[in-house]
């Protein structure tokens, strides 16, 4: 095992994770650190989101990860100023399963 530290560049990576409170429909964005100096892999990002699902209640009680429809509506509002619902599966992996 090498003790060498991998540094890809002078960078700090963060994810902005979109949350929704299903009872109040209030939306929130949680910033999650992904480390410094090393590019996160898609697998590391997926694992962090999976761990986050179990941590949300501690940090944002009553909130949960947005589904695909909620997230797309948020993105449309952020970029156009209008909340538009687009036709898409609710679950993130429904398209990949086809």
């Amino acid at each position: 095992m090498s003790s060498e530290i991998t540094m890809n560049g002078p960078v700090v990576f963060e994810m902005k994770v979109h949350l929704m409170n299903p009872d109040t429909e209030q939306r929130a964005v949680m910033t999650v650190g992904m480390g410094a100096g090393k590019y996160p892999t898609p697998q590391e990002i997926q694992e962090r989101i999976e761990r986050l699902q179990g941590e949300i209640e501690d940090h944002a009680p009553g909130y949960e990860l947005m589904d695909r429809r909620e997230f797309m509506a948020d993105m449309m509002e952020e970029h156009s100023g209008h909340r538009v619902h687009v036709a898409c599966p609710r679950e993130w992996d429904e398209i990949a399963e086809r």
Side-chain angles (χ1 to χ4, degrees):
M1 182 181 289
S2 173
S3 62
E4 186 176 319
I5 297 175
T6 300
M7 294 291 285
N8 299 130
V11 295
V12 174
F13 287 91
E14 297 177 334
M15 287 190 301
K16 296 202 181 281
V17 181
H18 290 249
L19 308 174
M20 169 81 81
N21 183 316
D23 297 327
T24 64
E25 295 191 8
Q26 187 173 11
R27 298 179 308 275
V29 178
M30 177 183 284
T31 302
V32 179
M34 289 298 296
K38 183 177 176 289
Y39 304 146
T41 66
Q43 181 66 30
E44 290 169 330
I45 294 168
Q46 180 64 35
E47 288 170 0
R48 185 62 187 106
I49 290 173
E50 289 170 3
R51 280 197 334 266
L52 182 63
Q53 286 178 320
E55 299 169 355
I56 290 175
E57 191 61 32
D58 294 335
H59 301 290
Y63 284 82
E64 56 191 41
L65 294 175
M66 284 186 180
D67 64 27
R68 185 184 300 265
R69 266 185 70 226
E70 295 161 343
F71 177 68
M72 290 304 298
D74 258 22
M75 291 293 93
M76 297 295 278
E77 182 175 23
E78 182 178 314
H79 293 285
S80 72
H82 303 286
R83 191 155 187 82
V84 178
H85 292 281
V86 294
C88 61
R90 283 194 166 280
E91 299 303 320
W92 290 101
D93 57 357
E94 281 185 39
I95 292 175
E97 291 176 357
R98 294 181 183 219

